[in-house]
Amino acid sequence: MKKPKIVILGAGYGGLMVATRLQKQVGVNEAEIVLVNKNDYHYETTWLHEASAGTLHHDRVRYDVKNVIDRNKIEFVQGTAVEIKTEEKKVILEEGEVTYDYLVVSLGAEPETFGIKGLDVHAFSIINVNAARQIREHIEYQFATYNTEEEKKDERLTIVVGGAGFTGIEFLGELANRVPELCKEYDVDYSKVKIICVEAAPTVLPGFDPELVNYAVSHLEKKGVQFLIGTAIKECNEDGITVGKGDEEVEHIKAGTVVWAAGVRGNSIIENSGIEAMRGRVKVQPDLRVPGHEDLFIIGDCSLIINEEINRPYPPTAQIAMQQGEVCARNIVALIRNKGELETFTPDIKGTVCSLGEDDAIGVAFGKKLVGSKASFMKKMIDNRALFMIGGPGLVLKKGKFNIF
């Protein structure tokens, strides 16, 4: 009897969780498992803001896929998936194709610019390792050339961050710590640097506890960050951004660096494959399968799970992706063993922590509010736990965060 073939697209948090759980639960004679990923490494998406600011080397945020999968049980294919042909049960790659009996889509997000003119051309996005390197090198270049080139000198040291959600705030926290170091290194007057955060919503960190939000804003303002709240970016061009507040007259802000951190959407492969979605995210069934497709699971950034309490989607977080990965793996095992009813996925939110730099953070964990060093400690423990769940103690020792105090 032919072994069922399980194909996993993406070695992010969810995809690696599926792969590492399946390699423990499925025998080599039970199923063929294939993991497809664009790169031969996994990167910690929740650490990219540190690499972008230059407070953490980009190699620290990634590790080789081969170090956490059992190559005797899982075939790794380095390739980029471009389309899923659900009727033919195959995935088209940039070079070649792969067939499947069961498919797990766990591909990462893409920037959502909401149609704002010029953002896709002139703004950076904290979206992957190479983008993080590019942001870091670009900012350092602005400081390095400040005292050597007169052209556009005033705006060289103006950094605009679009978006005051988690990514934007965490990046600002790292940036506020990094800027004084850059000023010292390149003999730049600290007062010449401007860090501006533009947020269209009426508050920073929408939906987060107001007391913690006030702590974060106060902390960052003390470090020189200016907030333009309730203000929308109307356009981005080569020398900065144009902003507006409601129907008020627009203002142009000249800036040498614009980083967009205000939105993501699911991977474009979803729409390319004709699967019904909203901004690239699919409203999956409770068992994480796509309606009408018994052999297709979608987890992570491309899945849409509704929080019934507030009737809004859960944000696409690493915590949820990893939990989905565990349930997805168990459901696939149940299918290949004909074990009947599949498990329903229910998010178990342990807490949420937003870092404000190396030694400060805000968060809620197990129902308690945390700020300062306690929240920062919790953030590092969350990061280390994610490493442990996929790669065990060896990966934690190699990549973990131990500068806790």
Side-chain angles (χ1 to χ4, degrees), residues 107-263:
L107 295 166
E110 296 175 356
E112 173 60 274
T113 60
F114 304 106
I116 300 171
K117 186 179 178 182
L119 270 182
D120 56 340
V121 177
H122 301 293
F124 296 97
S125 290
I126 304 173
I127 200 68
N128 55 41
V129 173
N130 288 330
R133 292 177 67 180
Q134 194 177 17
I135 294 167
R136 184 201 77 221
E137 290 168 6
H138 174 82
I139 291 172
E140 288 187 4
Y141 177 78
Q142 300 300 321
F143 277 82
T145 54
Y146 178 75
N147 287 318
T148 61
E149 295 182 13
E150 289 300 317
E151 186 184 357
K152 297 183 178 180
K153 187 168 184 175
D154 290 340
E155 61 256 38
R156 277 194 185 280
L157 301 184
T158 298
I159 303 168
V160 170
V161 177
F166 266 71
T167 301
I169 292 300
E170 291 195 320
F171 177 58
L172 286 165
E174 298 298 326
L175 200 57
N177 286 351
R178 179 70 173 135
V179 162
E181 297 174 359
L182 290 171
C183 288
K184 186 175 181 180
E185 184 175 350
Y186 293 107
D187 299 318
V188 170
D189 183 351
Y190 181 75
S191 66
K192 301 293 184 184
V193 182
K194 288 183 182 177
I195 304 174
I196 303 169
C197 178
V198 183
E199 172 56 61
T203 179
V204 167
L205 294 170
F208 213 59
D209 182 273
E211 184 183 347
L212 297 178
V213 170
N214 290 337
Y215 178 96
V217 171
S218 176
H219 173 85
L220 293 173
E221 284 181 336
K222 285 175 185 175
K223 294 198 169 189
V225 177
Q226 302 173 42
F227 287 94
L228 300 179
I229 305 302
T231 303
I233 296 178
K234 304 290 187 180
E235 186 179 341
C236 181
N237 58 34
E238 61 184 8
D239 69 349
I241 60 168
T242 301
V243 300
K245 199 167 187 175
D247 297 326
E248 291 180 24
E249 190 175 327
V250 297
E251 174 192 359
H252 189 69
I253 300 172
K254 290 187 175 182
T257 307
V258 178
V259 178
W260 178 247

